[in-house]
Amino acid sequence: MKTNTSRYIAFLAVSIFLIACSTRKDTFLSRNSHALSTKYNILYNGGLAMEQGLMDLRTQYKDNFWEILPVERMQIDDKSMLPGENKNSNFDRAETKATKAIQKHSMNIQGSEKNPQMDEAHLMLGKSRYYQQRFVPALEAFNYVLYKYPSSDKIYEVKIWREKTNMRLDNDALAVNNLRKLLKEIKFKDQIFADANATLAQAFLNLEEKDSAIAKLKLARDYTKLNEEKSRYRFILGQLYDKMGYKDSAYAAYQEVIDMNRRAARQYVIHAHINQAAQFDYEKGDTIAYLKKFNDLIDDRENRPYLDALYHQMGKFYENKKDFAQAKKNYNLSLKKKTQDTYLVASNYRNLATIYFDDAKYATAGKYYDSTLVNLKPRTREYNAIKKKRENLEDVIKYEAIVQNNDSILSLTKMSQTDKTAFFQKYIDKLKETEAKLQKETEKQERIKANQQDTGDANALKNKTEQPVTNANMTGKSNSFYFYNPTTVAFGMKEFAKIWGKRELKDNWRISSLSSKDEKGDEADSDDEKGNNKIDKPSDGQFYNPDFYISQLPSSQTVIDSLAKERNFAYYQLGVIYKEKFKENKLAIDKFEKLLTFNPEERLVLPSKYNLFKLYELTDKSKAEKIKSEIISQYPESRYAQILANPSLEIQNSNESPEGTYQNLFKQYESGDYKNVLVQTEAAINKFNGDEILPKLELLKANVIGKLNGLTAYRSALNFVALNYPNVEEGKTAEKIIAVNIPKLEALQLGKYQSTNYKMLYLTKDFDDKATKTLIEKITKFIKERAMDKLSVSKDIYTMTDNFVVIHGLKSEDYAKGIASILKEVKEYKVQETPIIISSENYTVVQIKKNLQDYLDGKLVENPKQPNWDGTFERPAPPKEEPKEQPKQQQDVQVQKQEIKNNVKSQKNNSLDTNSSIEEDDRNFGPPPAPSGGGKTGR
């Protein structure tokens, strides 16, 4: 009996279990069984993974306090992920759990969901996708909840998450409309109300509506229950007030963050102090209280992670107070703290560069500007401004280095043998002293390392292995690891160089023959340049022998003279740069005065004295009068003497000044009078030899030569400018033309073009002779009488001796031949000259390359290719591969994503105007059209 009863009970239990596991039956037991399993098993584990993922996300996220902070702490990564790749495994696990809950416990019976936990499962699914930056699938999950579970208790939260996703997809206006409706629906002002207002504030920030954002952020600040959010919202409010110029409100908002003290995240408190300091009045403010406040912040151990920003602010304070020594000290302290804020690093370097620049230490400033550019984002306005400033320093840095190097060598060559020996012995003593310190430091580190290895303390060893290796500069503690100690590394490199010499990083580097071969070649090249004998590789003892250094000084008088000449020119260039570009009169006077003490070559003496006269007029009138009399008495026939003797002459004859002469020549060049410009430019170059206008005249001459003599002569003339004036704007322009424009022009070809525009050319030697004038009159008469308004006539220069009378606007070659026949045979015109009929494309090539004879000889390419902008030719496109069929799910996602993007941004169709004036193209000296066709060629 008992056996039967047990069987019945077991059967009943199994039946109840099977009924409870069914997702097809809407029973009390099934609903509660699946809801219980969903909530306390699957979603619970998914929630734990979600919390861990959020913790990791917030730990890795770094706020950019240089800009207005976003409401949500989440970094969007532009890098696309491959299928199956995820950035945070916790979010992937949360998504897996949510998917499992939906697949195994969903009770969709007769179109209605019976499991009350499914809305939370879909919400978790959307959140996990959102944090993985898969916004389109996330939006799909949120929309599913809104469609299937309109009466869910999570409906407001889901709507907020949907609008957050819309904002990530750039649908900010849509998010604003939906959130405004949501705020009208919310009845209780709780955390959901705060989150909705914060999300709406972010949408307004994205739309640049700061007033509306402030109003919503205030509501979010007042109703949120989380201290982290309160401090963040208050800090953002302070930033917005700052942007809008409400300094008092901004100061009050930052003070609210500071008053929260430990309830606020420390980073907000520190940057609130820093942003308040930006409003400090450096003239009337209490500097003692300011310094006490920031010194206390720096001394607080709790603020050690933020010392980089605090030292930077202290540097700005001292810079504004004109205490540049303390400013440099604090900026360097900020740099020593290894920060991840690259813009802070760039700001430190930029401010240091500015200090050195204002102190006229341009070479040092240039180095700091280089470091600034490394840490700035390219293609930004600030990057371009600093890059331009750095380029302006290029010449100063170069010439200062030449002056320093050549002055040192020349001063050493003038010393007696005894003085040379004493000089280098002093250098050797310092070298030994430095190496002794390095050796001592290395031995100390080795002893520390040996003691640590010998200790048998297991706990210390365990701690050592468990702790990550950190840089000594970052932790503030000494580290025994060899490569983390710069002193030992520097000593080791020096010792390696002594033993092995200069070795390249390659296989079998120990074999001396591999490196000596290259070294010998390098030494031979350097010896050829300097004219000295070959110097053998120094041995260890030679580093401490003064004779070794003395033997490397130049002994040839030719080499010494070339160094002096190079040094003199560098001094002159520095004087001009300091005077004209940087307005540093004291530095300019110093350079010109030193130059004149060196007895420089004649071409530098007179310009230097005249520049000194101009500078002395501003600083010392007596010196100005003295040097003025020297110029007039010693160089009476010079242009400078004439100007000084009669100051009004400079104003009266402004057209004869270097700048006036150049402007007149350039106007003639633009009008097309190339022959006269060439003759006058050559005369001006001789007249103004040594003047700073010379590079401009040389570049103008190169352009005229190109117009008259063709592309080959143009390249040679540009090369002359680039080689002789490499550090001025004209030399750089010439170099750029050679590298970029010349290949485009060389790629042009004479060919059999399918042209719709032809020209008729009549050769002539002189436009002013009687025959040419008669020809032009007949052509003009023909065009007027026949009412051919589309035709025109022009006088085009070809070379120095040959010119063209050109008829433009002929639509075909046969049409041109007909016109030529009428002009020749009709009694009223009787033009006996035979014209050259040429297409507009070939005429452009002829004018550029001066290869008319090749055209007359029929050297035409059958199917000429249109060159690219770099002078190369377009390659045939490779055959297109058939696209691989994508999974249906991936296709659906892509379709949805494309639809959303189309809703966000409207595409613009830009059409290119392909109609160009051939007549204007003929006069342009520029590159060929792009392969796609269309657009005028540039001058």
Side-chain angles (χ1 to χ4, degrees):
M1 187 69 180
K2 286 183 177 180
T3 304
N4 291 334
T5 302
S6 299
R7 287 177 180 175
Y8 290 140
I9 292 173
F11 177 75
L12 182 62
V14 171
S15 300
I16 292 172
F17 177 76
L18 292 174
I19 292 171
C21 290
S22 174
T23 59
R24 298 295 183 185
K25 294 185 178 181
D26 182 14
T27 63
F28 174 82
L29 192 59
S30 294
R31 290 194 303 272
N32 287 278
S33 172
H34 284 288
L36 190 68
S37 179
T38 303
K39 181 176 182 179
Y40 291 107
N41 184 5
I42 302 176
L43 292 186
Y44 173 77
N45 290 314
L48 291 178
M50 180 74 71
E51 289 177 4
Q52 186 60 44
L54 285 172
M55 191 180 300
D56 295 341
L57 187 68
R58 288 166 183 163
T59 302
Q60 296 168 4
Y61 178 76
K62 300 297 180 184
D63 278 312
N64 180 10
F65 287 93
W66 301 98
E67 298 176 356
I68 295 177
L69 299 183
V71 171
E72 184 181 26
R73 296 186 68 204
M74 177 177 168
Q75 182 69 39
I76 297 298
D77 195 348
D78 295 333
K79 295 180 180 178
S80 58
M81 293 186 297
L82 298 173
E85 182 184 1
N86 62 82
K87 298 177 182 178
N88 193 317
S89 59
N90 289 304
F91 294 132
D92 186 53
R93 176 176 170 79
E95 182 181 7
T96 303
K97 291 295 182 182
T99 305
K100 181 179 179 181
I102 294 168
Q103 290 176 344
K104 291 195 173 184
H105 296 284
S106 175
M107 298 179 63
N108 194 343
I109 300 172
Q110 296 180 356
S112 177
E113 179 59 58
K114 304 302 180 181
N115 187 343
Q117 295 297 319
M118 282 302 102
D119 55 346
E120 293 195 24
H122 280 92
L123 178 59
M124 181 180 290
L125 180 65
K127 285 182 180 181
S128 60
R129 290 173 174 175
Y130 177 88
Y131 285 122
Q132 293 180 80
Q133 300 180 26
R134 295 163 52 220
F135 300 119
V136 175
L139 188 64
E140 180 185 356
F142 297 137
N143 283 330
Y144 185 84
V145 178
L146 296 175
Y147 172 69
K148 279 289 187 181
Y149 312 104
S151 59
S152 170
D153 60 341
K154 301 287 184 181
I155 197 69
Y156 293 154
E157 184 179 356
V158 173
K159 286 183 177 181
I160 292 172
W161 278 97
R162 182 186 65 176
E163 303 320 318
K164 287 169 70 173
T165 309
N166 275 327
M167 287 192 296
R168 297 294 183 183
L169 294 168
D170 295 334
N171 290 325
D172 298 303
L174 177 62
V176 168
N177 291 332
N178 291 337
L179 286 169
R180 279 174 169 165
K181 294 177 184 178
L182 174 61
L183 287 172
K184 293 178 182 179
E185 298 174 10
I186 297 176
K187 298 178 181 179
F188 302 102
K189 295 183 177 181
D190 51 7
Q191 186 64 42
I192 290 294
F193 181 77
D195 292 343
N197 277 287
T199 306
L200 182 55
Q202 183 62 61
F204 282 129
L205 286 176
N206 295 343
L207 295 171
E208 298 292 333
E209 298 179 15
K210 295 184 177 65
D211 288 331
S212 301
I214 287 174
K216 297 304 175 184
L217 265 180
K218 286 181 178 178
L219 290 172
R221 174 201 62 189
D222 294 339
Y223 290 101
T224 184
K225 298 177 182 178
L226 304 175
N227 285 328
E228 199 279 337
E229 289 184 356
K230 282 181 181 291
S231 59
R232 188 175 185 85
Y233 297 161
R234 284 169 174 161
F235 189 87
I236 295 172
L237 281 170
Q239 289 182 308
L240 290 173
Y241 286 133
D242 255 339
K243 280 282 186 182
M244 298 175 70
Y246 304 145
K247 299 299 181 183
D248 292 339
S249 299
Y251 194 93
Y254 292 135
Q255 190 61 44
E256 288 181 9
V257 178
I258 295 169
D259 292 341
M260 290 183 70
N261 200 3
R262 295 185 182 278
R263 289 177 296 144
R266 198 65 188 164
Q267 57 181 346
Y268 301 136
V269 175
I270 295 299
H271 284 90
H273 281 296
I274 292 173
N275 288 1
Q276 278 187 341
Q279 300 182 22
F280 183 74
D281 188 344
Y282 291 98
E283 294 181 359
K284 302 178 182 178
D286 188 349
T287 57
I288 296 176
Y290 183 101
L291 289 173
K292 184 180 184 306
K293 174 182 177 180
F294 272 88
N295 284 327
D296 290 342
L297 289 171
I298 290 171
D299 293 338
D300 190 344
R301 294 172 61 87
E302 194 176 359
N303 299 332
R304 284 186 177 180
Y306 312 104
L307 285 177
D308 52 349
L310 292 171
Y311 279 128
H312 176 77
Q313 184 59 39
M314 287 290 281
K316 290 172 67 176
F317 170 81
Y318 283 116
E319 185 179 358
N320 282 287
K321 297 296 288 183
K322 309 300 181 185
D323 188 349
F324 298 119
Q326 284 295 325
K328 288 188 284 186
K329 177 184 175 182
N330 280 278
Y331 285 137
N332 284 313
L333 285 171
S334 178
L335 288 170
K336 286 181 180 179
K337 306 301 173 184
K338 302 300 181 182
T339 178
Q340 295 181 358
D341 188 349
T342 56
Y343 189 79
L344 179 63
V345 177
S347 297
N348 284 321
Y349 282 126
R350 180 200 60 216
N351 295 350
L352 284 167
T354 303
I355 291 172
Y356 284 111
F357 184 90
D358 293 340
D359 197 26
K361 296 179 180 177
Y362 299 113
T364 307
K367 295 176 183 178
Y368 279 105
Y369 279 131
D370 287 336
S371 299
T372 305
L373 293 173
V374 169
N375 290 281
L376 279 178
K377 289 183 180 179
R379 299 181 181 177
T380 59
R381 185 175 297 177
E382 184 178 13
Y383 180 92
N384 292 332
I386 292 178
K387 184 179 180 183
K388 185 176 181 181
K389 200 168 187 177
R390 173 62 181 83
E391 288 173 350
N392 289 336
L393 291 173
E394 193 71 40
D395 297 338
V396 175
I397 294 170
K398 176 190 175 184
Y399 289 123
E400 285 286 6
I402 292 173
V403 164
Q404 184 178 1
N405 182 64
N406 291 17
D407 265 342
S408 300
I409 296 174
L410 291 171
S411 62
L412 286 170
T413 57
K414 294 177 181 178
M415 289 182 181
S416 65
Q417 188 68 22
T418 305
D419 291 339
K420 290 178 185 177
T421 303
F423 177 86
F424 286 114
Q425 186 60 52
K426 187 177 180 181
Y427 168 77
I428 291 169
D429 292 340
K430 289 183 179 179
L431 184 64
K432 288 180 179 179
E433 184 180 348
T434 304
E435 291 187 354
K437 289 180 180 178
L438 290 173
Q439 180 67 30
K440 188 176 181 180
E441 181 67 22
T442 304
E443 290 174 356
K444 180 181 177 182
Q445 296 297 330
E446 290 295 334
R447 284 197 303 270
I448 294 172
K449 184 177 180 181
N451 291 335
Q452 289 177 345
Q453 291 176 348
D454 292 340
T455 56
D457 190 346
N459 292 330
L461 181 61
K462 181 180 179 182
N463 291 335
K464 183 179 177 181
T465 55
E466 288 179 354
Q467 290 178 356
V469 177
T470 56
N471 196 325
N473 291 332
M474 295 176 66
T475 61
K477 299 179 181 179
S478 61
N479 198 308
S480 60
F481 184 51
Y482 180 88
F483 288 103
Y484 283 167
N485 190 315
T487 306
T488 57
V489 170
F491 180 77
M493 292 174 67
K494 197 166 190 66
E495 287 297 308
F496 181 89
K498 281 185 181 181
I499 298 170
W500 299 102
K502 184 180 178 182
R503 299 294 174 108
E504 293 184 9
L505 181 59
K506 60 183 180 181
D507 294 338
N508 301 319
W509 61 270
R510 288 172 178 260
I511 302 175
S512 61
S513 60
L514 293 177
S515 60
S516 62
K517 190 174 183 180
D518 294 334
E519 289 173 2
K520 287 177 182 178
D522 294 340
E523 290 172 3
D525 292 341
S526 63
D527 293 336
D528 289 342
E529 291 176 4
K530 296 294 182 183
N532 293 337
N533 296 328
K534 178 181 173 182
I535 300 173
D536 295 329
K537 187 172 74 173
S539 61
D540 293 348
Q542 286 180 313
F543 280 112
Y544 306 110
N545 186 354
D547 294 336
F548 165 70
Y549 298 102
I550 294 172
S551 64
Q552 296 185 57
L553 293 174
S555 56
S556 171
Q557 190 59 42
T558 304
V559 175
I560 294 174
D561 290 343
S562 67
L563 289 172
K565 185 176 180 181
E566 185 182 32
R567 185 267 318 270
N568 295 342
F569 182 72
Y571 266 106
Y572 177 77
Q573 289 293 336
L574 286 171
V576 172
I577 292 170
Y578 287 141
K579 172 178 174 280
E580 301 294 340
K581 187 178 288 187
F582 298 116
K583 308 302 179 185
E584 290 287 345
N585 294 338
K586 290 183 179 179
L587 283 173
I589 290 172
D590 178 65
K591 297 302 178 185
F592 285 128
E593 286 179 342
K594 282 187 178 179
L595 172 60
L596 293 175
T597 63
F598 298 139
N599 192 22
E601 50 269 33
E602 189 66 26
R603 70 185 183 93
L604 298 178
V605 174
L606 185 55
S608 298
K609 288 188 174 183
Y610 183 76
N611 279 306
L612 275 175
F613 166 75
K614 288 290 189 182
L615 292 165
Y616 286 150
E617 276 192 319
L618 302 173
T619 59
D620 192 333
K621 294 291 185 181
S622 61
K623 288 186 177 180
E625 288 298 323
K626 181 181 178 181
I627 202 165
K628 174 182 176 181
S629 61
E630 287 181 9
I631 294 173
I632 294 174
S633 60
Q634 296 175 12
Y635 309 94
E637 301 299 325
S638 68
R639 177 172 54 89
Y640 298 109
Q642 295 174 8
I643 292 172
L644 292 176
N646 185 8
S648 60
L649 187 65
E650 186 172 9
I651 301 174
Q652 295 172 0
N653 297 335
S654 58
N655 289 335
E656 297 181 6
S657 67
E659 189 63 34
T661 302
Y662 174 77
Q663 293 296 338
N664 291 333
L665 288 172
F666 191 77
K667 287 179 182 178
Q668 294 181 53
Y669 170 79
E670 287 185 319
S671 66
D673 192 5
Y674 304 132
K675 296 178 182 178
N676 287 331
V677 171
L678 181 60
V679 175
Q680 294 178 29
T681 303
E682 290 176 342
I685 289 172
N686 294 327
K687 180 179 180 181
F688 302 123
N689 186 23
D691 197 283
E692 60 187 31
I693 201 69
L694 202 60
K696 292 181 180 291
L697 293 170
E698 290 285 4
L699 184 60
L700 178 62
K701 178 183 175 182
N703 287 331
V704 175
I705 288 174
K707 293 287 187 181
L708 294 175
N709 299 337
L711 194 56
T712 303
Y714 186 41
R715 175 190 278 275
S716 299
L718 287 172
N719 192 52
F720 175 83
V721 178
L723 290 175
N724 286 277
Y725 308 99
N727 298 302
V728 297
E729 189 64 31
E730 289 71 23
K732 295 172 184 176
T733 301
E735 188 174 354
K736 185 177 180 181
I737 294 172
I738 293 172
V740 179
N741 291 357
I742 294 296
K744 304 171 189 175
L745 301 175
E746 289 176 339
L748 290 170
Q749 297 174 302
L750 290 172
K752 298 179 181 179
Y753 292 95
Q754 299 295 323
S755 181
T756 58
N757 199 304
Y758 281 80
K759 304 179 186 299
M760 290 170 53
L761 314 180
Y762 290 94
L763 280 169
T764 179
K765 296 292 183 181
D766 187 1
F767 289 129
D768 294 327
D769 66 11
K770 185 177 179 181
T772 303
K773 289 182 178 180
T774 303
L775 173 65
I776 294 173
E777 290 173 359
K778 290 180 179 179
I779 294 173
T780 304
K781 180 181 178 182
F782 166 76
I783 293 172
K784 186 176 181 180
E785 289 180 351
R786 302 294 176 114
M788 293 184 174
D789 298 334
K790 292 184 179 181
L791 299 186
S792 61
V793 62
S794 69
K795 297 183 287 184
D796 292 1
I797 294 175
Y798 180 55
T799 64
M800 198 69 180
T801 56
D802 297 324
N803 307 303
F804 294 133
V805 175
V806 186
I807 301 177
H808 304 271
L810 306 167
K811 58 186 178 182
S812 67
E813 186 175 6
D814 292 337
Y815 183 65
K817 290 178 179 178
I819 296 293
S821 177
I822 294 173
L823 289 172
K824 185 174 183 179
E825 296 176 2
V826 173
K827 180 180 178 182
E828 300 174 3
Y829 313 116
K830 285 293 181 179
V831 176
Q832 300 301 319
E833 294 85 350
T834 302
I836 300 171
I837 298 173
I838 187 171
S839 65
S840 178
E841 294 82 358
N842 283 327
Y843 182 65
T844 301
V845 178
V846 165
Q847 279 287 19
I848 292 172
K849 294 191 173 183
K850 307 301 178 186
N851 54 353
L852 179 63
Q853 192 57 47
D854 289 343
Y855 177 79
L856 297 176
D857 293 341
K859 297 179 180 179
L860 307 179
V861 178
E862 189 67 33
N863 294 309
K865 296 179 181 179
Q866 289 284 4
N868 295 323
W869 286 103
D870 59 355
T872 61
F873 291 97
E874 195 74 24
R875 293 183 177 180
K880 293 184 178 179
E881 296 182 0
E882 291 294 330
K884 295 182 180 179
E885 186 176 355
Q886 297 178 337
K888 187 177 185 303
Q889 183 180 1
Q890 188 174 353
Q891 291 178 357
D892 294 340
V893 170
Q894 291 179 353
V895 169
Q896 292 177 8
K897 191 171 183 179
Q898 187 62 41
E899 289 176 354
I900 290 171
K901 286 185 176 180
N902 291 338
N903 290 333
V904 176
K905 297 178 181 179
S906 61
Q907 298 179 351
K908 296 179 180 180
N909 296 323
N910 297 326
S911 59
L912 295 175
D913 183 11
T914 57
N915 297 323
S916 58
S917 171
I918 303 299
E919 288 77 5
E920 183 176 347
D921 283 351
D922 294 337
R923 294 168 177 80
N924 284 343
F925 196 87
S932 58
K936 296 182 180 180
T937 58
R939 186 175 293 275

